[in-house]
Amino acid sequence: MSEVTFQIWRGDRNQGAFQEYKAEVTEGMVVLDVVHKIQAEQANDMAVRWNCKAGKCGSCSAEINGMPKLMCMTRMNTLPVDKPIVIEPMKTFPLIRDLVTDVSWNFEVKKTIKKFKPRKADAPDGTWRVQQADVDRPQEFRKCIECFLCQDVCHVLRDHHMHSEFIGPRFLVYTAALEMNPLDTEDRLKDLKDQHGIGLCNITKCCTKVCPEHITITDNAIIPLKERVVDEFFDPLGGLFKMFR
Amino acid sequence: MPHIDVPLKRGRFGETSRPDNWWIQPLVVFLGFSAFICYSTWAALQGNNYASGPLLSPFYSPLLYGPEPYAWFGGGPPSWFPSFLPFSSAFLILWIPGGFRFTCYYYRGAYYKAFWQDPPNCAVGEPRKKYWGERTFPLIIQNVHRYFMYLAVAFIFLLGHDAWEATKFENGRGVSVGTLVLTLNTVLLGCYTFGCHSFRHLVGGMKDILSASPVRKKAYDCVGCLNTRHMRFAWFSLFCVGFSDLYVRMCAMGIWTDYRIF
């Protein structure tokens, strides 16, 4: 057992500051355990959003020592305890209070993406036949828990605040899951290029680094989508080839 | 697109709560790329010492104009080349591998961070307020990557031919250290080129249903396997192609001797 110093952001949309807390840390604790301990013993009014404590609900997203992480999946023994551990809310979304942010923008963005539109059913009973090999790719994207850590770390949203022009890595993954679905017949490429701002992603791979579900966001979702957009809009030779095929 | 009605705070350049040495990674990338750019530019400008015995530097291969038996079209410079400019056969070909690397998805992400600080590293504040991304000119040009890839694939076969030619000695076939260097260079460049994201898209990524074509599926899986190590091969091949030129140059200058193994 050791005493560790924490600096936790306290405040609302208008004002706030880091407050220092000291807490006893025991083996096996995660950051969320410590935050709960501080909340129970020293700061009863501290706001923190959490739910499953198992890395599956995506509620307890925050920034721990400057990196977007799930508090419930960040073990204390992975953090340097010789200096204060800084815990703050996600910076890309408006703050509600303390560690809780308003992520509702994401739900509005999701509505702008064209829905799943399956091909005609393969069998008379209205079902389809799909090979596992063809669903491997979209299945990786279905692991997303919507913690929005990738949105938080994306510099297009975080530093440039281009929320009205760029849907962010989470929704590029969502679009990739639909676009690569072997049953889907909808075309989202024009939207990706014009409204959803795929060209704004400059492939820094920060989203991949912070994903708690280890989805290879940049290499498997964003770049393949960029390539499909190139197919459609920036490849005259490919277009010519398709015409004569 | 929905917008956020609460003004968000914009971070200052370098502002972060990260306590780690986040600046080391972009610094290493900056120094690594800068060293290669400086050396390759210098080597391309020399216009000499690019061949020794059966060895031909990859910076000059294919040698379009130059001495026999390496050159395709005889001695240079070609008649259309402006006489007031210094000529080096490397100028005629280096734009292809250079363009391929410059527009490569891995390199783009790396040099945007290391050279342009866009961002300096993950969750670290940027120096500029304006951001265009790759949506408008000039960076929209990055979309030509696949055309460079087509040409780069041809280069792999040409470099493979050079490695084969590097086994031809005056007294018959053999293998020297130079042969191994050129072969390793071709293998690493091949792993880098055939693991390219555009190549992966070409061989199968563009299709939603891969199971209908087992050959395509196998090719996609193989390229995907190289693609997961794309960064590693990007660096190894960059180092190896520079070293290959250095090796041939040193041998051509008589400083090193190409040791024949058998």
Side-chain angles (χ1 to χ4, degrees), chain A residues 32 36 48-60 72:
Chain A
L32 186 60
H36 280 160
V48 53
R49 186 187 283 135
W50 65 282
N51 199 338
C52 74
K53 287 185 78 176
K56 288 294 161 202
C57 72
S59 301
C60 62
C72 71

Side-chain angles (χ1 to χ4, degrees), chain A residues 123-138:
Chain A
D125 63 354
T127 57
W128 291 268
R129 303 292 176 266
V130 185
Q131 297 296 314
Q132 181 59 44
D134 298 326
V135 290
D136 280 343
R137 273 191 300 173

Side-chain angles (χ1 to χ4, degrees), chain B residues 147-170:
Chain B
Y147 292 117
F148 281 116
M149 183 268 291
Y150 300 146
L151 297 170
V153 167
F155 266 57
I156 300 303
F157 293 101
L158 293 171
L159 291 173
H161 176 259
D162 287 348
W164 175 246
E165 290 294 306
T167 62
K168 285 184 187 168
F169 293 88
E170 284 174 359

Side-chain angles (χ1 to χ4, degrees), chain A residues 20-31:
Chain A
E20 199 160 290
Y21 300 94
K22 290 186 191 301
E24 292 290 334
V25 173
T26 53
E27 197 182 341
M29 281 180 103
V30 294
V31 170

